[in-house]
Amino acid sequence: SVPTPLLGCTDPALRNSLLSMALAKTGNQDTWMTICLQLNLPTTHATRIGSYLRHTHTRGTWPAVHAALDNLITVLQADSTGRRNT
């Protein structure tokens, strides 16, 4: 499911790309362009995610977005660990 703070992005395709890119960027030093290429996403999203993230800072919603992404990563990691143990 999409973290609540990202629901403000009204373009579902862009929102899903941003979510995928943000998760891929966690702990990763690759550029946004490299991540777009690795995920087979439109390369225009490399600049759009930067704009969107700056917008979250300006609106003051970055802490909520960051927390939601952190929670999602934790859930995905826990689910991945659980699947390896079965």
Side-chain angles (χ1 to χ4, degrees):
S1 82
V2 177
T4 302
L6 294 178
L7 292 176
C9 182
T10 57
D11 179 346
L14 177 61
R15 182 190 61 222
N16 294 341
S17 290
L18 296 176
L19 180 57
S20 298
M21 291 171 65
L23 291 172
K25 184 70 171 169
T26 303
N28 185 338
Q29 296 299 315
D30 288 339
T31 65
W32 289 121
M33 181 62 72
T34 299
I35 290 172
C36 280
L37 294 171
Q38 291 169 342
L39 296 176
N40 200 29
L41 296 171
T43 54
T44 56
H45 289 191
T47 55
R48 292 185 80 182
I49 190 170
S51 297
Y52 183 78
L53 293 176
R54 281 188 297 282
H55 182 65
T56 65
H57 280 277
T58 301
R59 284 191 337 218
T61 57
W62 170 246
V65 170
H66 184 262
L69 291 171
D70 189 51
N71 288 338
L72 181 56
I73 289 169
T74 300
V75 168
L76 292 171
Q77 288 173 333
D79 185 54
S80 173
T81 300
R83 288 180 189 204
R84 282 184 276 177
N85 292 332
T86 58

